[in-house]
Amino acid sequence: MSETTDRNGTGPAAARDERQTTAVIGSAGGRRIGGGRRGGRRPGGRRKHGPGAEQQMVPEAEFTSYYGRPIVKPSPWEKDIPIYLFAGGLAAGSSLLAAGADLTGRPALRRTGRFGALAALSVSMVALVHDLGKPSRFLNMLRVAKLTSPMSVGTWILSIYGPFAGAAAAAEAVAMLPPGRRVGPLRLLPLLHRPAGLMAGLAAPPVAAYTAVLLADTATPSWHAAFKELPFVFVGSAAAASAGLGLVGAPVAETGPARRLAVGGAVLELAAEQQMERSMGITAEPLHEGKAGRLMRAAKALTVVGAIGAAVSGRSRALSALSGAALMAGSACTRFGIFEAGQASALDPKYIVVPQRERLAREGPVRYEE
Amino acid sequence: MIGGKNSLFGPVDATANSGYGDDHPPRKGFFTDTSICIGCKACEVACKEWNDVPADHFDMTASSYDNSHSLNANQWRHVAFIEQPKRLGAQDPGLRAPQVTDLGMPTARPSDTLTVEEGEQTDDTKPDFRWLMSSDVCKHCTHAACLDVCPTGSLFRSEFGTVVVQDDICNGCGYCVAACPYGVIERRRAPDGAKNVGIAQKCTLCYDRLGAGQTPACAQACPTESIQFGDVEELRERASTRVAQLHEAGIMDARLYGNDPEDGVGGAGAFFLLLDEPEVYGLPPDPVVTTKDLPQMFNRASTAAFTLLAGAALAFVGRRR
Ligand code: SF4
Ligand code: SF4
Ligand code: SF4
């Protein structure tokens, strides 16, 4: 029940806010946006930490709302969904690494990639089904194929990718059995070894990218506003995480490509994230505040440390593995941070009213034009 | 569905776009004229009764007279109560009270100030505040984000051009919840033991009643005809006439919201006459269906996917170590 009320913005915390916003409402009849501070709403905005005083970089937004209550609903998703986003990216990147390792003769990296992909895929499936409540509900998604629904498209992408990733991992497991134990149909699996692995690698990139569309195709302000750069943040994050797994699981003699992928992924993720915040306007604010802010800062630190570690730890297995773990943790923090920022942005009507008012002032109402 | 060129944005016949033939009934909807709403909440009650919507949220909000919080899974109609320091045209609240300046929770005043003495009502003695009341509901958008993103086909466009959830197909993924630009649809969480917990819920525009040629329960129960039900085409004309009438009477705050088929959601099946900015009522000022940007989103995602593929391939080029 307490969850119910909080989600509707009617819990005790929201009640406190409501009283404050009533003061703004009280003088309604006009709207004041972008002006000075009043109404005493909680201080928002990015802060610059300098010597001495804190300086507010984004001025407090003035806006009118209905007793401070949310306008859009936050998604009802819980931590299952960021886990799903992270695991999906990890699986996709791992399949790519495994395919490359297979083609270039790096058996340990290939094994790590294939087993990692299957494990991550299983985690993401469990998270998804847990979110839906019962497994049979997943089947309802297979009733239709809808191009306008990223969730439907994603389900089909996974349905193509999953069997290949599974077959590649199974072939890998069979190859580890002593020849005498490969009986019956198991004898056929080695035939699938390379084709399944390559198909999984080809089907993997969409798995990593579609989750960005999944979040962006909503009315959640901080997700929708990020739609241009979010796919790049997510594929960068997927590359960094899977390269991290490669560093953890394979000996240093085989991890050259994983190191390069780690650095490339981390650079892409950080650069795209930077660009994304610039283009998001006021809806970038939740990425710096509260839980989301802490997660995003952790993500940045872990990714930077992990990438540097990956680049320099060439001869030490232990250091490589540590860098790899940091990269995976960084990727997970990115997913959780962006998820939380979106949820927070949906609960504050400011992130709906202010950008729409700014757009109205700039371009007038959105209207269809031939 | 992606059918014609205006499938994701722009004016379109919502019903025909969803594949109904020429013989479908005219699009049905609501015109809610909030200028005559008295806040009786008959619509809220009628909706709950007819649709067997469970009650919860018996807690007070402690900030206004609005005790039903918001549109949500268990509240398919919601009457907003807004208290403003502004006089409404000819509204006479029947009170003789001093200037109202404190806009916190109104407190009880000594009874003598509440007594209306005949002949004493002059403009100067009227309170300079007004109540705005507005019965909100699902907009049954022409471009309905909830319907577009639903991965199961549980949300569908009815032959009346309205948007309805089928509770036996919905898998509770909650995608529609985050997609609706008005915060209408929600997954039911409470009360325990209620039917359809975990399933998306919202106004069906009384699909069952429409099928039987009846008026939706909320409109039927509305004593002031603030909620007008009918053919959307005709309602749009009625709305323009009404807003012109109010402007003539000097109520320049009156404006229509959601009636324009060229707006961000392709026009709503349920639209409103408001007396202030939309956000005052808890409505988004200029909503746009999220799927308008979908083609661009898929393009960016495809480029990103290709970048990942190319990046992984590049990582294997070069030094063999
Ligand atoms: S208002 Fe929201 S729930 Fe209603 S049809 Fe439009 S998008 Fe769907
Ligand atoms: S919660 Fe139900 S109605 Fe909403 S998108 Fe998911 S399946 Fe469709
Ligand atoms: S049309 Fe029916 S379901 Fe919708 S609000 Fe009115 S009574 Fe409720």
Side-chain angles (χ1 to χ4, degrees):
Chain A
M1 186 62 205
S2 73
E3 185 218 38
T4 310
T5 45
D6 277 339
R7 277 291 166 78
N8 286 327
T10 49
R16 239 178 292 122
D17 258 6
E18 281 173 21
R19 271 195 296 279
Q20 294 178 340
T21 318
T22 311
V24 178
I25 284 229
S27 44
R31 54 188 184 281
R32 297 151 305 277
I33 286 165
R37 302 191 52 156
R38 69 180 288 289
R41 264 185 82 77
R42 76 184 135 72
R46 238 182 286 174
R47 282 157 190 280
K48 189 169 152 190
H49 296 280
E54 281 186 308
Q55 186 195 336
Q56 196 128 21
M57 291 179 67
V58 178
E60 181 73 0
E62 293 279 349
F63 70 107
T64 311
S65 80
Y66 183 62
Y67 299 102
R69 296 198 204 157
I71 291 180
V72 294
K73 296 252 182 301
S75 80
W77 303 330
E78 302 192 6
K79 59 182 181 312
D80 295 323
I81 296 301
I83 290 175
Y84 170 79
L85 301 176
F86 167 69
L90 181 59
S94 296
S95 285
L96 279 170
L97 263 185
D102 186 25
L103 292 175
T104 57
R106 292 177 164 92
L109 186 60
R110 184 192 68 205
R111 204 174 308 126
T112 307
R114 288 183 175 173
F115 287 151
L118 183 62
L121 185 65
S122 312
V123 168
S124 75
M125 284 296 128
V126 169
L128 185 60
V129 166
H130 183 253
D131 174 66
L132 296 179
K134 45 183 171 188
S136 60
R137 288 187 172 163
F138 180 78
L139 296 178
N140 282 5
M141 304 237 218
L142 302 174
R143 290 177 68 245
V144 288
K146 263 173 83 172
L147 278 179
T148 57
S149 171
M151 197 179 281
S152 171
V153 172
T155 304
W156 288 105
I157 289 176
L158 280 172
S159 311
I160 294 168
Y161 165 76
F164 288 122
E172 198 65 56
V174 169
M176 289 168 77
L177 289 176
R181 304 283 296 274
R182 299 179 205 158
V183 291
L186 289 188
R187 267 177 310 191
L188 292 175
L189 270 173
L191 293 179
L192 291 176
H193 209 286
R194 181 157 287 179
L198 290 181
M199 287 308 290
L202 277 179
V207 173
Y210 98 86
T211 47
V213 185
L214 186 74
L215 293 190
D217 193 23
T218 60
T220 301
S222 295
W223 292 343
H224 187 80
F227 80 81
K228 291 201 180 87
E229 297 87 7
L230 200 55
F232 294 92
V233 175
F234 275 15
V235 298
S237 173
S242 54
L245 182 65
L247 289 179
V248 171
V252 288
E254 291 188 15
T255 51
R259 289 172 205 286
R260 292 191 277 276
L261 189 62
V263 174
V267 168
L268 178 61
E269 177 187 337
L270 294 172
E273 214 272 328
Q274 208 58 35
Q275 175 63 29
M276 176 176 100
E277 285 186 22
R278 265 202 296 276
S279 71
M280 283 169 74
I282 186 181
T283 60
E285 237 176 61
L287 286 166
H288 299 273
E289 287 172 356
K291 199 169 159 194
R294 286 195 293 279
L295 284 162
M296 292 310 286
R297 284 191 292 277
K300 253 173 228 159
L302 286 163
T303 306
V304 168
V305 168
I308 294 175
V312 303
S313 66
R315 280 192 202 92
S316 158
R317 176 78 201 259
L319 273 184
S320 290
L322 270 180
S323 321
L327 286 166
M328 284 195 278
S331 170
C333 286
T334 300
R335 312 303 173 126
F336 274 86
I338 287 172
F339 177 79
E340 290 295 339
Q343 297 291 81
S345 73
L347 286 171
D348 192 335
K350 171 168 76 176
Y351 299 117
I352 295 287
V353 176
V354 174
Q356 290 187 13
R357 278 290 160 203
E358 282 172 354
R359 188 180 65 214
L360 279 166
R362 211 170 48 233
E363 319 166 356
V366 168
R367 287 291 178 267
Y368 175 80
E369 280 157 30
E370 278 296 342
Chain B
M1 293 298 123
I2 299 182
K5 88 176 187 351
N6 286 3
S7 283
L8 295 176
F9 183 65
V12 73
D13 177 343
T15 324
N17 194 45
S18 302
Y20 288 94
D22 289 339
D23 53 346
H24 66 77
R27 183 175 182 185
K28 299 287 184 191
F30 290 124
F31 164 44
T32 304
D33 180 352
T34 70
S35 69
I36 50 175
C37 176
I38 55 171
C40 68
K41 294 198 175 233
C43 51
E44 283 189 5
V45 177
C47 176
K48 277 196 188 280
E49 283 291 324
W50 179 262
N51 295 296
D52 196 15
V53 178
D56 64 347
H57 280 328
F58 278 127
D59 46 334
M60 301 299 278
T61 57
S63 66
S64 78
Y65 279 114
D66 176 2
N67 63 357
S68 49
H69 299 259
S70 62
L71 285 178
N72 58 56
N74 295 340
Q75 194 71 44
W76 298 356
R77 268 264 174 206
H78 169 244
V79 183
F81 280 48
I82 300 124
E83 189 185 358
Q84 278 190 333
K86 197 172 182 184
R87 188 171 289 140
L88 166 63
Q91 174 180 288
D92 180 354
L95 297 173
R96 187 173 61 88
Q99 291 244 315
V100 178
T101 45
D102 173 18
L103 286 157
M105 282 290 285
T107 50
R109 273 182 281 278
S111 57
D112 61 335
T113 60
L114 291 171
T115 325
V116 180
E117 280 162 47
E118 225 169 310
E120 284 207 8
Q121 288 285 341
T122 68
D123 268 4
D124 300 338
T125 57
K126 277 186 199 167
D128 59 351
F129 77 94
R130 65 176 181 175
W131 281 105
L132 296 180
M133 286 144 193
S134 164
S135 181
D136 195 9
V137 70
C138 169
K139 317 301 180 283
H140 296 278
C141 315
T142 301
H143 296 292
C146 62
L147 190 157
D148 281 345
V149 305
C150 174
T152 63
S154 144
L155 277 154
F156 73 102
R157 178 83 55 190
S158 80
E159 64 272 35
F160 302 105
T162 59
V163 178
V164 184
V165 199
Q166 305 172 78
D167 49 24
D168 53 338
I169 294 176
C170 169
N171 69 1
C173 71
Y175 205 5
C176 52
V177 177
C180 170
Y182 303 94
V184 169
I185 193 164
E186 195 191 31
R187 194 156 87 171
R188 181 171 285 163
R189 279 185 300 262
D192 283 344
K195 62 171 186 180
N196 290 338
V197 168
I199 299 298
Q201 302 285 315
K202 71 169 192 74
C203 159
T204 65
L205 219 135
C206 283
Y207 189 40
D208 50 349
R209 292 174 68 96
L210 295 200
Q214 301 263 317
T215 302
C218 53
Q220 181 98 330
C222 177
T224 62
E225 291 186 354
S226 169
I227 301 174
Q228 303 176 26
F229 165 78
D231 295 352
V232 168
E233 284 292 320
E234 197 231 310
L235 289 175
R236 282 184 183 146
E237 281 167 33
R238 224 189 282 176
S240 322
T241 314
R242 173 67 182 159
V243 83
Q245 214 177 52
L246 287 175
H247 285 171
E248 224 159 273
I251 303 178
M252 303 314 285
D253 286 343
R255 76 211 58 198
L256 296 179
Y257 178 80
N259 62 315
D260 185 346
E262 313 223 315
D263 72 10
V265 299
F271 51 92
F272 302 80
L273 185 153
L274 304 178
L275 295 174
D276 204 336
E277 301 290 354
E279 58 267 37
V280 168
Y281 297 84
L283 295 163
D286 189 35
V288 180
V289 60
T290 176
T291 40
K292 173 177 186 276
D293 298 318
L294 194 58
Q296 238 188 314
M297 289 182 204
F298 270 120
N299 282 344
R300 301 287 295 189
S302 309
T303 313
F306 186 76
T307 307
L308 177 61
L309 186 63
L314 269 180
F316 282 93
V317 178
R319 271 179 306 154
R320 195 193 152 82
R321 189 165 63 88

